[in-house]
Amino acid sequence: MVTFQAARDELYRRMAKVADSFGELYPGVQAPKVYDGLPTSEPPFYIAVDSIVDTATMGGRAVPGAGQLDFTIHVMCFARHSDQATASATLLAYVDAVFNTVMADQRLAMSVDNSFPSIEAAGASGDSSKYHMAAASVGVQCSVFAKCPQKFREVVQ
C-alpha cells in the first residue's frame, strides 16, 4: 500500500543526495544543508522537506471502487547572505535542484504514480541584521491512481 511517508521519505533522501553532490551540479553555489522538517536553529543556507504532507484529497475514478489520491509535499528553500544577488542566485539554484530531483523520477521510487513540483511562494527581503533572506516554498503535488485499500475493505465488510 502506498503511504504518504514513503513519498516524503524518498523526496528527503533524494534532496540529501543532491546536497552531497551540489558542488558538481551547481559549481560556485553554496551547498545547502538538508533537513527533515524545519531546523530549530536556522543555518544561512538550507532546504527543509516538510515532515507532514497536506492537501490530501481523494477524487476521480481510476477504477471501480478505487479513487485517485492527491497530496502535497512541501520543500522549503532558504538562502541568507549579505549580498542580495548571491542570496537570490543561491535560492534559484536550490529551487532548480528540487525541480530536477523530482523530474528525474516522477514516481519517487514507485511510491506514487506521478509528481509535479511548483513554486507556491517565493521572495527576498532584507532584515535588521543587514542580511538578505531569499526563500521559496516548492509544493510537490503527488498522485496515486487506483488506490485500493484492500486490507481496510476486508475489515469493514
Side-chain angles (χ1 to χ4, degrees):
M1 181 172 179
V2 177
T3 65
F4 300 121
Q5 181 140 1
R8 195 211 61 84
D9 288 351
E10 176 60 18
L11 187 55
Y12 170 74
R13 184 193 69 77
R14 288 177 184 205
M15 291 310 309
K17 300 256 308 166
V18 166
D20 290 343
S21 301
F22 209 80
E24 297 168 31
L25 298 167
Y26 298 92
V29 178
Q30 173 68 43
K33 287 189 168 200
V34 176
Y35 291 92
D36 179 2
L38 289 168
T40 54
S41 61
E42 289 188 83
F45 302 97
Y46 72 96
I47 293 174
V49 178
D50 198 352
S51 53
I52 304 295
V53 303
D54 74 359
T55 64
T57 59
M58 287 290 291
R61 284 297 214 191
V63 296
Q68 176 178 324
L69 172 65
D70 295 311
F71 61 93
T72 303
I73 303 169
H74 299 281
V75 180
M76 285 73 71
C77 304
F78 297 91
R80 183 174 177 256
H81 198 273
S82 59
D83 177 54
Q84 182 179 2
T86 300
S88 296
T90 302
L91 179 76
L92 291 174
Y94 292 178
V95 170
D96 186 68
V98 174
F99 272 66
N100 285 326
T101 297
V102 173
M103 300 308 285
D105 168 23
Q106 289 177 268
R107 298 191 73 189
L108 299 178
M110 304 298 285
S111 62
V112 298
D113 290 317
N114 220 339
S115 62
F116 293 97
S118 66
I119 297 174
E120 299 172 314
S125 176
D127 65 19
S128 61
S129 65
K130 310 244 190 258
Y131 280 89
H132 296 274
M133 172 64 88
S137 174
V138 177
V140 179
Q141 177 69 40
C142 299
S143 295
V144 179
F145 308 118
K147 183 169 177 56
C148 180
Q150 187 62 38
K151 288 180 184 177
F152 285 89
R153 186 176 293 155
E154 292 169 0
V155 169
V156 299
Q157 288 183 349

